[in-house]
Amino acid sequence: MTNTLPHIIEQLERLQSERIIVGVPRSNDHLTMIALVQEYGKTIRPVHGDWLVIPTENARAMHVTHASQVPGMFRPKGKNILAIKDESSPNGLKVMFVLRKETRIPARPFLRYTYQTNVRLWANYAAVLVQKMIVGKMSVEEVETLLARRIVSSMKSTIRHFSKPANSPLTQSIKGFNDPLIDDKKLLDSITYFFERKF
């Protein structure tokens, strides 16, 4: 009878020596910034000038990202908006941008929520996978990959269903829906995993 204990110990040591990292790719600074802002919240203030210039759904529908792209735009007296004349609108204006001194993005801790909600489920799933590995039905790589994919799936589910705090009415009107962690799905689609040696 073959003694498989040394092989099992070696496999378990390999599992112990690596950790699974799940989230946005480290190489994407923009998505990392978005994830951190969503996780912890942030007050955004203008870098240049006195106002944040926030495009409305009208600007987005015209694929306009900057106020200078819209000819004939002006700021109506006493209003914190930039608009163009539009006779078909009730007030004769089409609002293209909203002006704000600052805007607060509330914390939506999807990373911490995913971990707290699922850590026991992941541990149970990992135990099942390790049992299969011990009896020779699965390799170390398969255990790590299946567990990593389960964690990614959990995080994507959190992003899809995270609803509070909701988007502001302005953000909802711009996006056309109220999914606080989803806009163009870049954050959602970016969630991935890799393995890193502990020592």
Side-chain angles (χ1 to χ4, degrees), residues 133-162:
M133 183 191 74
I134 288 172
V135 297
K137 293 183 177 179
M138 196 169 282
S139 68
V140 172
E141 291 79 10
E142 288 171 320
V143 170
E144 291 177 329
T145 300
L146 288 172
L147 181 56
R149 287 178 181 169
R150 176 67 61 94
I151 297 170
V152 166
S153 176
S154 299
M155 189 170 293
K156 287 187 173 188
S157 179
T158 297
I159 291 172
R160 285 189 195 97
H161 298 104
F162 210 97

Side-chain angles (χ1 to χ4, degrees), residues 5 20 25-26 44 47 68 72 81 84 94 109 123 138 165 168-169 185-186 188 193 197-199:
L5 186 58
I20 300 170
R26 283 182 173 172
I44 300 173
V47 177
S68 64
I81 60 170
I84 56 176
K94 181 182 281 189
M138 196 169 282
S168 70
K185 293 192 175 180
K186 286 182 181 175
L188 175 69
Y193 66 88
R197 289 193 69 81
K198 295 179 186 174
F199 45 80

Side-chain angles (χ1 to χ4, degrees), residues 68-151:
S68 64
Q69 295 174 292
V70 184
M73 192 160 52
F74 65 100
R75 181 179 177 186
K77 187 175 181 179
K79 298 189 180 293
N80 293 335
I81 60 170
L82 297 176
I84 56 176
K85 291 186 178 179
D86 182 5
E87 300 302 327
S88 64
S89 297
N91 60 3
L93 297 175
K94 181 182 281 189
V95 179
M96 301 299 290
F97 295 89
V98 175
L99 304 177
R100 294 269 172 87
K101 289 289 186 180
E102 65 180 31
T103 187
R104 173 73 187 160
I105 299 173
R108 298 182 176 101
F110 70 99
L111 297 168
R112 287 170 286 174
Y113 177 85
T114 302
Y115 178 81
Q116 292 164 1
T117 305
N118 294 280
V119 65
R120 288 185 180 174
L121 297 172
W122 298 335
N124 292 339
Y125 183 57
V128 170
L129 296 177
V130 169
Q131 284 288 342
K132 290 183 178 181
M133 183 191 74
I134 288 172
V135 297
K137 293 183 177 179
M138 196 169 282
S139 68
V140 172
E141 291 79 10
E142 288 171 320
V143 170
E144 291 177 329
T145 300
L146 288 172
L147 181 56
R149 287 178 181 169
R150 176 67 61 94
I151 297 170

Side-chain angles (χ1 to χ4, degrees), residues 19 41 43 46 48 54 93 97 120 144 172 184 187 194 199:
R19 64 169 56 98
T43 298
H48 304 290
I54 303 169
L93 297 175
F97 295 89
R120 288 185 180 174
E144 291 177 329
Q172 288 182 46
D184 53 14
L187 177 65
F194 65 92
F199 45 80

